[in-house]
Amino acid sequence: MFKPSWALLLSAVPTAVSATDAVEHISVYANRIPVATSEVLASVSVLDRADIEARQASDLPALLAQLPGITISRDGGRGQNSGLYLRGGNNGHTLVLIDGVRSGSATLGYKTLSMLPLALIERIEVIRGPRAAWYGADALAGVIAITTRQASGVELTADVGSYGQAGASINASQQQGDLTLSATAGYSRADGFNVRNDLDNDRDGYQQRFAKLVAAYQTGLGLWRGQVDVNSGFYQFDTAWGSEDQAETLNRSYLLGWEHQQGSWQHQAQFSRTLDDDTTYGPVSQSPYVTERDEFNYQAATALTDSLSGLAGVNWYQESVARSGVAYVKDNRLNRAAFAGLQFAAQGLRLDGAVRRDLTDQYGGNTTWQLAAGVDLSDAMQLRLSRGSAFKTPTFNDLYYPGSANPDLQPEKTLSNEIALSYQLAAATLQLAWFKQDVDNLIQFDFATYTPQNIERAKISGVELSVDLRWDSVEQTISYSWLDTENTLTGQRLARRPEHNVNWRLTQQWQQLSGFVTADYQSDTYQGEYASSPYLGGFTVFGVGGSFALSPALSLSAKVDNLFDKHYQTSSGYETAGVNFGLSLQYKLP
C-alpha cells in the first residue's frame, strides 16, 4: 500500500491542540484509506511526530512499550535485540509496514525494531487485532505501520545521554514548483553496558548511520514519488552460543509510488525493493544472513453511494535468501494476492468487511476475512464488535535451517473476536476492549528435539483499558492490559507474556515549559522451561522529563529513565539499563 499524499494527511491530522481539546487522529492503514480513528472499527493508537518528541523515549521498542497491548522483551539495552508481543501473539505475529512496505527478515520472519532510529520516524500507527484480510500473512496480532520523516523546512537535532549515548540528525526539504525534495540523515552511538554478567565482562554498545532521500512530483496524471532509505551500523551482544558477539546490519529500500484522484476514484500503486542484512561475527567466524524482497501493490477506492464505499487491489511479493552462512534447501518463495472490502456508514451504524486470497508456491491458497460492526449508543459512546481470521507461513529458518529445521511445519492460523466500547468527550476519552484469539498450529521451538514444532492450539484472551483525561494544562493517560494465555499442549502460560501491564503518564504545560512523570508496571513473566530463570518477577519503573522552548525555533529537552535505579529483567539472564538520563537540543526553521 502506498501512503496517501502528505498534503491530505497533514491537513487531516492536527499537530497542536490545547490540553482541553480532544485530538482526532487519522488512521491511514486500518482500512487502507484515511479514516478518523473514531470511525475505525478496530483498536488503533496513533503517534505523530509531536507525540514522539514529547515522550522522549530512548528508542523505538521503549516507545512502543508505552502503548496498550504491547509487551517488549529486551536482550539488553539500546541496539540489542528486542522481541515485541502484541496482544499475546508471537514475536512474528505483528506485521511491520514502513511507508506501506512489508519489512523484516525473511529468515527470522519479523522486523527487528531496536536498530530503527526514532529520528527517522514521522508517524506510528498501531492496529491491534488481525488485519490479514487487508495485508496477508503475519498480521495475526496486528499491524505496526511506520511513516518515515518528510519534514518541512530545516530541522537539526543533537542528543547525549548515559552509557556514552550521543547522536545528531538533520531533516530538510525544498519545494520548486511541482517538485518537492526532502532528505534526512543522522548518526547515533553508545558504549552501552554489560548485558550478561555471566558472560563477557564488557560493554555492549552500538553505532548507527542512516539517510533518506525523497523526490515527489505532481503532474496532471497524479503524484509520483521516489524514495531511497539506507540504515547501517553494528551492535555488540553477549551469547552462550559460540564466539560471535557482534553484528553488522544494513537495511536498504527503494520505493517508486504513484497516486491519482480521478473523479470519485482514488488509485494508488507502489513498487519496492528491500534488503535486510545482518552479519554476526567474532574472533574466528562470521555468519551472514541477507534477505531481499520485491513487492508490488495496487489498489483503487471509490464511494459507491453516499453511505457505501469500496476498495479492491492486488499484492505481489517475492522474498529470497540472497546470501547466508549456511545452505538452505529452498531460498526463495512467491506470494500473489487479491483483496477487496466494503465500508458502510449511516445513521449511527457502521459496517466493515474485507476478504483476501493469498496464493503461495509453498502452501497453495489461503483465504482470510474480517467483519466488524459499530453502533453509536450516543453522541459520545460507540459499541463495536469484530471477528477475523489470519495466518502466518513458517519462516525460512523454521523450514530449512540445517540442523534445527522442520520441513513438515504447517502455517499458523488464528480466529479472533473483539468487543469494545469507546467514550469520547472534549476532556476525556475512554476505550475498553475484550479480545479472544485461538491459534491453531502455533509454532514453538522444542528444545527437546531442537526443532520448531506446531502445537495443537494456543488460547489467548485479554482486556485492554485506556483512559485519556485532559483538564486545563494537565493531561493524564492510563492504560491497563490483562492477558490470559495458554499452551493447550502443556497447560503452561506462553513465554514472555505478562498477565498485567500498566502504563501511566502525567504531563503539564507552563507556557514555554512542559514536564511529565511516568510509571510503568509489568507483572511476573514465564520465560520458558529451558530458560536460566523460568520465572521473572514483576517490576515498576518511574521516569521524569521536560522540555523548554528557548526561542520559537530552539528547544531543550531532558529526561531521566528508571528514576529509582530499579534492577529488573524482561528476558531471562539479560540486564536492563539502570538509572539513566538524556539531553537533546532541537532547532527548527520553517
Side-chain angles (χ1 to χ4, degrees), residues 382-398:
Q382 182 194 69
L383 174 68
R384 55 181 170 81
L385 303 90
S386 63
R387 184 176 177 87
S389 64
F391 77 102
K392 178 180 177 64
T393 55
T395 69
F396 281 98
N397 281 356
D398 290 334

Side-chain angles (χ1 to χ4, degrees), residues 295-307:
E295 183 175 8
F296 174 77
N297 278 290
Y298 168 77
Q299 68 180 52
T302 187
L304 301 172
T305 68
D306 291 340
S307 56

Side-chain angles (χ1 to χ4, degrees), residues 69-71 85-90 141 433-437 459-465 480-486 493-502 522-525:
I70 294 180
T71 299
Y85 304 88
L86 178 60
R87 282 192 169 178
N90 271 355
W434 168 87
F435 59 89
K436 184 177 185 297
Q437 182 182 77
K459 295 181 178 180
I460 301 170
S461 61
V463 174
E464 292 171 356
L465 172 66
Y480 166 72
S481 300
W482 171 77
L483 190 64
D484 182 27
T485 66
E486 181 188 1
R493 291 159 54 181
L494 298 180
R496 303 189 180 188
R497 279 81 154 180
E499 186 176 2
H500 304 282
N501 256 319
V502 180
Q522 177 177 303
S523 64
D524 69 290
T525 57

Side-chain angles (χ1 to χ4, degrees), residues 194-212:
N194 187 14
V195 303
R196 286 286 298 261
N197 293 326
D198 58 332
L199 298 175
D200 293 343
N201 187 23
D202 64 350
R203 288 189 169 191
D204 298 292
Y206 80 96
Q207 287 186 10
Q208 184 173 45
R209 299 167 297 279
F210 55 91
K212 172 188 173 183

Side-chain angles (χ1 to χ4, degrees), residues 299 379 539:
Q299 68 180 52
D379 291 341
F539 57 87

Side-chain angles (χ1 to χ4, degrees), residues 411-414 438-443 454-458:
E412 299 170 292
K413 295 186 178 182
T414 66
D438 291 328
V439 187
D440 290 324
N441 297 325
L442 179 71
I443 296 175
N454 289 116
I455 66 173
E456 182 178 350
R457 173 170 289 188

Side-chain angles (χ1 to χ4, degrees), residues 237-258:
F237 59 93
D238 287 344
T239 178
W241 305 96
S243 62
E244 296 174 2
D245 59 359
Q246 298 186 70
E248 292 183 348
T249 66
L250 172 63
N251 291 275
R252 191 168 56 221
S253 67
Y254 307 93
L255 284 73
L256 178 62
W258 166 79

Side-chain angles (χ1 to χ4, degrees), residues 287-505:
S287 302
Y289 294 92
V290 183
T291 63
E292 295 178 334
R293 183 180 293 109
D294 295 323
E295 183 175 8
F296 174 77
N297 278 290
Y298 168 77
Q299 68 180 52
T302 187
L304 301 172
T305 68
D306 291 340
S307 56
L308 183 66
S309 61
L311 184 149
V314 294
N315 171 244
W316 172 96
Y317 64 88
Q318 177 177 276
E319 50 191 8
S320 63
V321 182
R323 185 164 59 94
S324 69
V326 296
Y328 288 80
V329 174
K330 184 177 175 62
D331 60 8
N332 65 85
R333 61 186 174 194
L334 176 67
N335 190 90
R336 292 154 289 174
F339 55 86
L342 294 172
Q343 292 85 43
F344 172 84
Q347 299 179 342
L349 175 66
R350 294 184 179 85
L351 301 172
D352 280 356
V355 63
R356 174 172 168 135
R357 179 70 173 175
D358 284 87
L359 182 63
T360 70
D361 55 3
Q362 284 177 303
Y363 294 101
N366 200 307
T367 301
T368 50
W369 54 271
Q370 65 187 52
L371 296 171
V375 179
D376 292 338
L377 303 179
S378 68
D379 291 341
M381 186 177 297
Q382 182 194 69
L383 174 68
R384 55 181 170 81
L385 303 90
S386 63
R387 184 176 177 87
S389 64
F391 77 102
K392 178 180 177 64
T393 55
T395 69
F396 281 98
N397 281 356
D398 290 334
L399 293 168
Y400 309 121
Y401 192 88
S404 61
N406 182 357
D408 297 325
L409 286 172
Q410 295 300 306
E412 299 170 292
K413 295 186 178 182
T414 66
L415 186 63
S416 302
N417 300 289
E418 181 176 0
I419 302 174
L421 187 69
S422 61
Y423 182 76
Q424 184 166 340
L425 295 174
T429 301
L430 181 147
Q431 302 226 11
L432 177 64
W434 168 87
F435 59 89
K436 184 177 185 297
Q437 182 182 77
D438 291 328
V439 187
D440 290 324
N441 297 325
L442 179 71
I443 296 175
Q444 298 279 271
F445 196 82
D446 184 352
F447 283 91
T449 63
Y450 208 72
T451 60
Q453 299 288 335
N454 289 116
I455 66 173
E456 182 178 350
R457 173 170 289 188
K459 295 181 178 180
I460 301 170
S461 61
V463 174
E464 292 171 356
L465 172 66
S466 60
V467 181
D468 191 346
L469 303 173
R470 297 166 294 277
W471 181 75
D472 196 19
S473 60
V474 178
E475 182 170 357
Q476 192 171 187
T477 59
I478 305 168
S479 67
Y480 166 72
S481 300
W482 171 77
L483 190 64
D484 182 27
T485 66
E486 181 188 1
N487 179 333
T488 58
L489 185 65
T490 64
Q492 186 61 267
R493 291 159 54 181
L494 298 180
R496 303 189 180 188
R497 279 81 154 180
E499 186 176 2
H500 304 282
N501 256 319
V502 180
N503 303 102
W504 173 75
R505 179 182 178 87

